Each structure stands twice: as structure tokens, then as C-alpha cells.
């Protein structure tokens, strides 16, 4: 069993900006260097590299820059931005199986100054394949499909726009404590939210994730090796991925099928978790994920968030404590994986007292990791 | 140069669906082994894993299952068309199609609204199945 045998030994990121002025490869390498320094592990020890398929920096290029002559474990996971936890799962499995010793998960992206997700520049398929049945009718970007899902689920669960707005307000409050966050110095009230324009109804402007230039990296190794550096570590209590079927119901997220496996593997229940990061490409999915992972009952996610339950300051279960994709940065889950590690190590700018179990989802059901303070 | 919404690019797995539309019929794929309807078309029945298919004409009636309204023209094709509504119609036979409504303003759309198919020719090869408010007949 994986339980706590592998750890995230180090995390690193670049600055987050609208125009990095450097290549995606450079961003990835800078983040990797920072993460290795954080872990107290030399680049010479790295023998594994894994990345998002949508990341443009191939493992071989990264290896060449790091001067690595051999990789024991490498690969990409496809879908889109939502595979960060799946990559952690892959890396952890390799280390646990003895196939690699130090695996780096990395992401470097010019998501604002380069190809923009919000305009379908990464995911557009020109009417081919299954897109023949969506793009000709105006479902052109991920947010179109996710808005469709949201509208139906709002109808089914009575989730309101104000509740969705409170996700954005909650996260903004966390970002206002985090100097790395894009919206560090920009407060947001629920009135601001309700007055903001629609982008794709039912998504208002502040329900949508940022577009960010930046890099991030995680260094995974055995818990034994990680602790040898004398640095604080985040042990992987459980890690799981879940590919979703093409035939999406527009009602549930794949967290419904992932959750039982994850909780069983962890030997934990949702009530054991101290702090949560959820993939907030769009604000309502925080509510849906809280429900589908079992943190609250179906239909109770909206009221939970609306009453302040997800806030660091006084909430029962703080969510997206760095500001998330809505207010910190959108590195396709990477910045939330980093924040989940910081929480487990007691280093967040919105630190939950005595956090023992730190939960991170990176795709509303495509993958999740539970970290334990080590 | 104005961008257009992408036209469907048919493949061997769905050619029959598009051919039927050019003939003015909405035909949906049905498993010839177990009778399960499926859409979008694909080679294998997820229910019984048969490759045998037949194509069945639908009534064309259904209801709005979900909808969105694009306000910010985040894609170049929508610049001159916002606010632009996209809906999912659930056919009375069960399958759901992503489509547009031709005679309903975005503000009028509601989940559950009865609609019926119309055919809009886009090219020699492609006719799109769009929907309009149902005429009189009760749906369901
Ligand atoms: Zn069948």
C-alpha cells in the first residue's frame, strides 16, 4: 500500500504574471530548480520527470537542461489541465514500486501571454471527432461545456448564483493574505460579484479562473529519503486518479466515482480532513466537488460556502487557501498542489492550525491526493 | 476576416447521422443487438459492446435539458453574435443533443421548455439539427 511511503519533499514556483517574458521551458526549469532547493535534493538525483500532455516542455528537453543522462520514469497524462493529481499518483506509484527514486512533476505555461485556454486556443478541435457535435453550436472552450454542466446542476440542487459568488469571495479573502497571488491587493465583495458581467452565463467574470504565466514543480521521493534532508515533508497518505467517460451526465462529476476509492485507500473519512484545495477552473465546481467527495451532502455545498464554511477565518473546512485558480494563479492544478503541501508543512499564508491531513483535488474528480504532515 | 463557427467534420463513425440530416431526417444510432440508443454516434455499444448498429428516425420532439448564454465573445466566431445561446435538448426518446434554438431569445430559455427539430442547411454536405419552440403539441 502506498500509504505514507512516498512524500512530496519539495515545492517551487516562479512569479505569477500576465507576461513572463520568458519561455515556458525556462519557467518549468526555474520552478524545478526552486523545488529541488526546497527539498534539499540535488538535480543529479532526479531520475523521473512527468508532465501534463498540454505542457510544451518535453521531458527530454527538461532532462537535457538538467544534465540528466537517464530517466527511469517519464511520461505525460492527457485530457487537459486537470491531471495534476494523476501525475502525482503516477510518480508516487513509480517510487513505491522501486522503479525510480526522485520524480519531478513540472508545469511551465504562458497561459496569458501565449496560447489562451479561455479562448479555446489549446483545446479547440475545428469540428473534428466528438467536437462535431459541440463546436458548431457554440461549445468552443472548456468553459462552455462546464457552464452547461453548471446550469443543469444548479437546477437539480438549487445552487444559487450568490452561493457561487461566495466561492469567489472566499478565495479572494485568502488571496488577500498571499503575496504571491495575482489578486493579493484586490478585495472582492459579494456585491462586486453579483454586479460583475456574465462571460458565459451562468458564469460571471469572477467565477472564472485567471489566465497566468508561471511555472511550478513538485519533487517526490521516498519518505525516508525526503526526511534525510531534515526539511519538513508532506507524506502521501493516498493518491488516486479517475479518467472520466466520454458520456458525461451533466449532473455528477467524476469525484462521485473517485471518492470511495480514495477514502478507502487513505483509511480516512471526509471529516478527518483539515484543509482542502479544489480545482476551481470555475467557481461552482468547488461546491459540486465538496458535495461529490462527501465533505457535505448533495445540495448542501452552496449553503456551506454561503455561510462562510470554506473561509480560513472561522470556517469549518477552509478551501483554496492560497486564493486558488480564481485569485492566486491558474497553473492547471500545480499551484494548488503546492498549497496543499504548504498546508501539510505548516507554511501557508492562510495556515490552518495543526493541519494533519491536507486534501487536494486537481480536476473535480480526475485525481486527488491526501497529504499527511510528516 | 470574420471567423465562423466550425462546421462538423464527419467521420466514418458518424457519417450516417449527417447524411440523414441532409435528407431532412434526424436519425439516431441504435444498437442492433440490444436496442440501446446512443449519441453522439460511436462504434461500440457501451451497454452490450456490440458493433452492430441501425439508425432510427426520431420524433424530433424534446425539451431543453440545460443551456448557456455566451456574453463575452471569447471565441472569434461569436464576436458579432453575442449574446449567443447554446442548449442541450433531451429528445423524448432519450438521447441528448447540443444545439441552438432558432426562434427563442436567450432570456426566454428555460429548462424543460418543449422544442422540436428544424433543419438548417449549412453546405452541400452538412445540415445542422436546430430546434424551435414546440408548436402546440404537448411534449412528454
Ligand atoms: Zn447494445
Amino acid at each position: 500500500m502506498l500509504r505514507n511511503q512516498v512524500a512530496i519533499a519539495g515545492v517551487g514556483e516562479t512569479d505569477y504574471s500576465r507576461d513572463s517574458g520568458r519561455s515556458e521551458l525556462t519557467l518549468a526549469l526555474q520552478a524545478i530548480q526552486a523545488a529541488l532547493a526546497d527539498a534539499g535534493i540535488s538535480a543529479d538525483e532526479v531520475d523521473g520527470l512527468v508532465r501534463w500532455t498540454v505542457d510544451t516542455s518535453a521531458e527530454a528537453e527538461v532532462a537535457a537542461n538538467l544534465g540528466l543522462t537517464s530517466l527511469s520514469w517519464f511520461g505525460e497524462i492527457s485530457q487537459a489541465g486537470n491531471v495534476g493529481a494523476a501525475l502525482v499518483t503516477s510518480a508516487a506509484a513509480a517510487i513505491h514500486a522501486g522503479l525510480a527514486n526522485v520524480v519531478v512533476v513540472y508545469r511551465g505555461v504562458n497561459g496569458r501571454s501565449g496560447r489562451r485556454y479561455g479562448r479555446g486556443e489549446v483545446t479547440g478541435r475545428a469540428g473534428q471527432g466528438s467536437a462535431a457535435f459541440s463546436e458548431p453550436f457554440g461549445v468552443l472552450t472548456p468553459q462552455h461545456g462546464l457552464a452547461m454542466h453548471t446550469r443543469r446542476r444548479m437546477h437539480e440542487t438549487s445552487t444559487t448564483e450568490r452561493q457561487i459568488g461566495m466561492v469567489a469571495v472566499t478565495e479572494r479573502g485568502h488571496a488577500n493574505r498571499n503575496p504571491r497571488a495575482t489578486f493579493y491587493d484586490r478585495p472582492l465583495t459579494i456585491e462586486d460579484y453579483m454586479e460583475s458581467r456574465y462571460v458565459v452565463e451562468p458564469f460571471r467574470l469572477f467565477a472564472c479562473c485567471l489566465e497566468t504565466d508561471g511555472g511550478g514543480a513538485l519533487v517526490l521521493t521516498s519518505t525516508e529519503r525526503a526526511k534525510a534532508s531534515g526539511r519538513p515533508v508532506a507524506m502521501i497518505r493516498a493518491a488516486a486518479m479517475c479518467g472520466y467517460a466520454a458520456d458525461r451526465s451533466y449532473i455528477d462529476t467524476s469525484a462521485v466515482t473517485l471518492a470511495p476509492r480514495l477514502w478507502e485507500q487513505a483509511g480516512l473519512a471526509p471529516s478527518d480532513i483539515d484543509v482542502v484545495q479544489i480545482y476551481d477552473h470555475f467557481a461552482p465546481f468547488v461546491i459540486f466537488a465538496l458535495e461529490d467527495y462527501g465533505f457535505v451532502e448533495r445540495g448542501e455545498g452552496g449553503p456551506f460556502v454561503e455561510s462562510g464554511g470554506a473561509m480560513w477565518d472561522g470556517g469549518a473546512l477552509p478551501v483554496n487557501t492560497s486564493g486558488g485558480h480564481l485569485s492566486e494563479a491558474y497553473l492547471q492544478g500545480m499551484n494548488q498542489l503546492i498549497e496543499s503541501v504548504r498546508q501539510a508543512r505548516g507554511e501557508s499564508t492562510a495556515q490552518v492550525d495543526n493541519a494533519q491531513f491536507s486534501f487536494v483535488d486537481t480536476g473535480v474528480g480526475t485525481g486527488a491526493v491526501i497529504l499527511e504532515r510528516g | 476576416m470574420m471567423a465562423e463557427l466550425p462546421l462538423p467534420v464527419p467521420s466514418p463513425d458518424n457519417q450516417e447521422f449527417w447524411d440523414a440530416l441532409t435528407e431532412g431526417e434526424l436519425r439516431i444510432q441504435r444498437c442492433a443487438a440490444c436496442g440501446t440508443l446512443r449519441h453522439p454516434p460511436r462504434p461500440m455499444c457501451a451497454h452490450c459492446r456490440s458493433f452492430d448498429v441501425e439508425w432510427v428516425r426520431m420524433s424530433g420532439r424534446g425539451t431543453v435539458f440545460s443551456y448557456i448564454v455566451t456574453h463575452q465573445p471569447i471565441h472569434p466566431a461569436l464576436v458579432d453574435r453575442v449574446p449567443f445561446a447554446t442548449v442541450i435538448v433531451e429528445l423524448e426518446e432519450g438521447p441528448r443533443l447540443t444545439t441552438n434554438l432558432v426562434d427563442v431569445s436567450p432570456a426566454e430559455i428555460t429548462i424543460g421548455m418543449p422544442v422540436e427539430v428544424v433543419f438548417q442547411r449549412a453546405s452541400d454536405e452538412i445540415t445542422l439539427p436546430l430546434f424551435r419552440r414546440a408548436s402546440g403539441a404537448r411534449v412528454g
Side-chain angles (χ1 to χ4, degrees):
Chain A
M1 177 168 280
L2 186 59
R3 189 178 297 176
N4 290 353
Q5 299 299 302
V6 177
I8 300 180
V11 297
E13 76 260 272
T14 67
D15 58 307
Y16 300 138
S17 72
R18 293 165 60 87
D19 187 357
S20 71
R22 49 211 200 268
S23 70
E24 294 183 333
L25 177 59
T26 298
L27 291 168
L29 291 166
Q30 289 176 337
I32 292 169
Q33 202 162 49
L36 287 167
D38 183 49
I41 290 176
S42 162
D44 296 334
E45 284 188 58
V46 174
D47 60 358
L49 293 170
V50 294
R51 62 157 166 148
W52 284 245
T53 297
V54 292
D55 195 284
T56 58
S57 300
E59 303 93 288
E61 271 186 282
V62 171
N65 277 272
L66 290 172
L68 307 179
T69 52
S70 163
L71 287 179
S72 309
W73 189 258
F74 65 95
E76 307 144 28
I77 299 183
S78 62
Q79 295 203 11
N82 54 0
V83 296
L87 289 162
V88 170
T89 305
S90 161
I95 293 163
H96 186 50
L99 301 176
N101 293 312
V102 176
V103 181
V104 173
V105 183
Y106 64 90
R107 180 83 178 112
V109 59
N110 284 322
R112 181 62 176 76
S113 68
R115 294 186 307 159
R116 295 178 66 175
Y117 283 76
R119 296 186 178 177
E121 291 170 6
V122 180
T123 53
R125 287 179 289 156
Q128 300 184 61
S130 60
F133 299 90
S134 56
E135 291 183 345
F137 310 99
V139 175
L140 296 157
T141 69
Q143 66 186 307
H144 287 116
L146 293 162
M148 196 71 90
H149 182 126
T150 297
R151 171 61 74 194
R152 181 67 196 187
R153 185 148 170 164
M154 288 172 73
H155 175 77
E156 301 248 341
T157 59
S158 302
T159 302
T160 67
E161 278 205 48
R162 191 178 177 86
Q163 291 166 351
I164 293 168
M166 281 302 291
V167 173
V169 171
T170 296
E171 295 194 21
R172 185 63 65 87
H174 300 158
N176 294 154
R177 301 179 53 84
N178 174 8
R180 296 181 196 89
T182 301
F183 283 142
Y184 173 54
D185 55 5
R186 297 260 304 272
L188 180 77
T189 66
I190 188 65
E191 290 73 28
D192 296 335
Y193 179 87
M194 294 302 286
E195 288 164 14
S196 69
R197 61 187 164 80
Y198 283 119
V199 177
V200 177
E201 199 177 329
F203 295 156
R204 292 183 186 273
L205 178 63
F206 295 120
C208 303
C209 63
L210 295 157
E211 293 176 297
T212 305
D213 287 10
L218 312 170
V219 177
L220 278 74
T221 189
S222 69
T223 298
E224 188 182 4
R225 171 66 188 89
K227 287 187 170 175
S229 300
R231 304 249 194 322
V233 305
M235 301 185 296
I236 297 175
R237 174 82 178 200
M241 62 174 96
C242 180
Y244 52 70
D247 219 4
R248 300 175 66 184
S249 68
Y250 286 100
I251 296 168
D252 288 328
T253 72
S254 53
V256 166
T257 51
L258 174 61
R261 280 196 280 121
L262 183 74
W263 296 122
E264 186 187 358
Q265 188 196 136
L268 298 171
S271 58
D272 293 316
I273 300 298
D274 298 295
V275 57
V276 169
Q277 316 300 321
I278 289 171
Y279 198 87
D280 51 342
H281 38 17
F282 300 100
F285 285 85
V286 169
I287 291 171
F288 304 155
L290 285 171
E291 296 175 355
D292 290 355
Y293 279 111
F295 291 107
V296 295
E297 295 292 317
R298 185 176 172 83
E300 291 302 313
F304 177 81
V305 171
E306 189 172 21
S307 66
M311 288 180 171
W312 172 76
D313 189 7
L317 185 67
V319 177
N320 290 352
T321 45
S322 66
H325 290 150
L326 302 179
S327 285
E328 184 190 34
Y330 181 44
L331 288 200
Q332 291 80 40
M334 175 54 84
N335 52 307
Q336 293 181 311
L337 286 159
I338 291 172
E339 172 64 8
S340 70
V341 171
R342 291 207 167 105
Q343 284 287 354
R345 303 199 318 196
E347 298 170 352
S348 171
T349 51
Q351 182 61 41
V352 172
D353 289 342
N354 304 313
Q356 184 183 0
F357 295 114
S358 172
F359 175 103
V360 55
D361 156 274
T362 66
V364 195
T366 52
V369 177
I370 298 173
L371 299 173
E372 180 168 359
R373 172 167 292 193
Chain B
M1 178 81 182
M2 265 299 298
E4 298 289 337
L5 284 165
L7 277 182
V9 179
S11 80
D13 288 335
N14 58 42
Q15 184 69 54
E16 183 125 4
F17 176 81
W18 301 109
D19 288 348
L21 290 165
T22 63
E23 297 161 17
E25 285 194 5
L26 177 60
R27 289 202 290 264
I28 294 284
Q29 201 177 32
R30 184 168 73 187
C31 173
C34 78
T36 303
L37 291 163
R38 62 181 189 259
H39 184 80
R42 51 178 183 258
M44 180 181 279
C45 172
H47 185 64
C48 77
R49 301 188 178 114
S50 168
F51 287 94
D52 298 333
V53 301
E54 53 198 11
W55 293 82
V56 191
R57 184 177 181 173
M58 298 287 106
S59 68
R61 292 188 297 272
T63 55
V64 172
F65 177 81
S66 190
Y67 66 96
I68 59 173
V69 184
T70 300
H71 290 261
Q72 182 180 329
I74 50 180
H75 190 283
L78 299 177
V79 168
D80 286 336
R81 304 180 69 172
V82 293
F84 183 83
T86 305
V87 303
I88 294 175
V89 167
E90 185 170 87
L91 298 174
E92 61 183 14
E93 293 89 350
R96 296 174 194 151
L97 287 77
T98 298
T99 180
N100 306 116
L101 302 182
V102 294
D103 64 343
V104 184
S105 73
E108 294 178 291
I109 301 171
T110 56
I111 289 177
M113 169 184 279
V115 293
E116 62 189 16
V117 73
V118 295
F119 301 98
Q120 181 170 293
R121 186 178 179 281
S123 71
D124 287 345
E125 293 79 28
I126 296 294
T127 292
L128 298 173
L130 306 184
F131 284 75
R132 67 184 176 203
R133 209 186 300 262
S135 54
R138 284 187 56 190
V139 174

